[in-house]
Amino acid sequence: MTTITDLYPSRGATEVSVPRQDPVVWSAPGEPGPISVPELQTYERDGFLPVEELITANEVAVYHEELERLIADPAIRADDRSIIEPQSQEIRSVFEVHRISEVFAGLVRDERVVGRARQILGSDVYVHQSRINVKPGFGASGFYWHSDFETWHAEDGLPNMRTVSVSIALTENYDTNGGLMIMPGSHHTYLGCAGATPKDNYKKSLQMQDAGTPSDEALTGFASRHGIKLFTGKAGSATWFDCNCMHGSGDNITPFPRSNVFIVFNSVENTAVEPFSAPVRRPEFIGARDFTPVR
């Protein structure tokens, strides 16, 4: 059996901070793709790339209608892939939407989407995770600060930082309705969180993050060094961001809902192994074990 070196230890007795061991952009310099060279350089430096109009207004209407259909379906609500808001008992997220909806499957295959992922990761890609996020007004809770890679490494077994996410807005993102916040440049440092991973941790963490949460001291240091960028934009805009970015979002206490579709692409050369710091794998609808390239 081949032993895989754990480059990014986590969930131990103490919090650890180590420099990133992997590239940010994996494609060769000058390799053609939808992202320009200056944009790739910005992505490499900051860890994210906003795109003002990834999809058109007409396309937004189609995807938003599909989102509304899914969250209104009693069978979807009863499915394990749906995460329910603890207080309002409304649907917060529906996972694996590219498998339960042909509409969202088409979005995953769209070259404007998957083409950017291939260019950043320098290889064919598969979907590690997909979901729709629903953040209605008047009190929908946010997502606390975290690095996705810390969880995907510890609990899903992704060996390296060769994963990219895209959040596509299906409603307008204001500066007040709980939008995505990222600490620019934070992806260059890996923060391994303290504390063991409970079995079936995902059942709690998808509603409120606990294991895998950085300390206040670490977050203060990161924010002091990197600052915080809040993303706003019209429906149809998108934000691409590296798997190791420190990010989060606030509660939405405005009357204006915020919904998005979230797709995580992983390189086919970085497929998941056994979890590095968890007793069992998470379900496949959260951390895929089907590594078939997107075509």
Side-chain angles (χ1 to χ4, degrees):
M1 180 180 291
T2 303
T3 301
I4 297 177
T5 302
D6 184 359
L7 298 175
Y8 302 105
S10 191
R11 312 289 173 94
T14 59
E15 198 170 53
V16 296
S17 178
V18 297
R20 183 189 186 107
Q21 304 295 305
D22 294 303
V24 177
V25 176
W26 290 75
S27 58
E31 189 168 314
I35 307 175
S36 70
V37 171
E39 287 173 331
L40 277 178
Q41 291 171 340
T42 298
Y43 178 86
E44 184 164 21
R45 181 193 68 205
D46 295 337
F48 56 79
L49 177 66
V51 178
E52 286 189 7
E53 187 181 344
L54 183 68
I55 58 175
T56 67
N58 288 340
E59 291 170 315
V60 168
V62 171
Y63 295 122
H64 193 270
E65 181 179 1
E66 179 69 352
L67 178 148
E68 294 290 342
R69 182 189 72 80
L70 291 172
I71 64 174
D73 185 339
I76 296 296
R77 180 183 177 86
D79 195 293
D80 286 345
R81 289 174 285 196
S82 292
I83 307 302
I84 308 300
E85 186 81 33
Q87 293 183 331
S88 68
Q89 290 298 298
E90 294 183 358
I91 287 181
R92 175 191 182 114
S93 300
V94 179
F95 281 81
E96 215 171 37
V97 289
H98 71 295
R99 292 198 181 278
I100 62 177
S101 165
E102 186 53 42
V103 173
F104 285 115
L107 179 62
V108 165
R109 295 190 298 264
D110 191 312
E111 274 301 314
R112 292 169 296 180
V113 177
V114 70
R116 284 178 166 86
R118 292 190 189 109
Q119 188 178 5
I120 289 170
L121 301 181
S123 69
D124 279 334
V125 298
Y126 71 93
V127 177
H128 176 69
Q129 184 186 105
S130 72
R131 67 178 187 259
I132 48 174
N133 291 326
V134 184
K135 194 180 270 192
F138 302 113
S141 56
F143 291 86
Y144 197 69
W145 292 105
H146 64 286
S147 154
D148 286 329
F149 179 76
E150 194 275 345
T151 295
W152 297 339
H153 182 72
E155 299 185 36
D156 296 339
L158 294 192
N160 296 96
M161 295 179 183
R162 199 170 179 179
T163 315
V164 64
S165 301
V166 59
S167 175
I168 304 172
L170 300 182
T171 53
E172 184 155 0
N173 283 237
Y174 302 101
D175 58 4
T176 51
N177 66 341
L180 173 68
M181 297 181 288
I182 295 179
M183 298 183 186
S186 59
H187 62 305
H188 291 295
T189 303
Y190 175 74
L191 188 67
C193 298
T197 308
K199 185 179 179 181
D200 292 338
N201 177 56
Y202 76 94
K203 293 180 179 178
K204 181 179 179 182
S205 67
L206 296 176
Q207 293 179 329
M208 185 167 292
Q209 189 89 358
D210 187 10
T213 302
S215 68
D216 291 353
E217 292 77 13
L219 289 171
T220 300
F222 266 58
S224 298
R225 290 192 299 274
H226 303 295
I228 297 173
K229 164 71 175 176
L230 170 66
F231 293 88
T232 60
K234 300 288 187 182
S237 63
T239 304
W240 291 86
F241 59 102
D242 180 82
C243 59
N244 193 45
C245 284
M246 191 63 69
H247 67 288
S249 65
D251 296 349
N252 182 14
I253 62 171
T254 75
F256 309 116
R258 175 180 174 264
S259 298
N260 69 298
V261 54
F262 180 78
I263 306 164
V264 180
F265 294 101
N266 188 38
S267 169
V268 296
E269 299 172 10
N270 187 45
T271 53
V273 295
E274 291 306 310
F276 285 88
S277 303
V280 294
R281 300 175 180 180
R282 297 197 299 174
E284 291 196 27
F285 66 80
I286 299 175
R289 295 282 161 169
D290 179 352
F291 309 134
T292 305
V294 176
R295 298 292 187 211

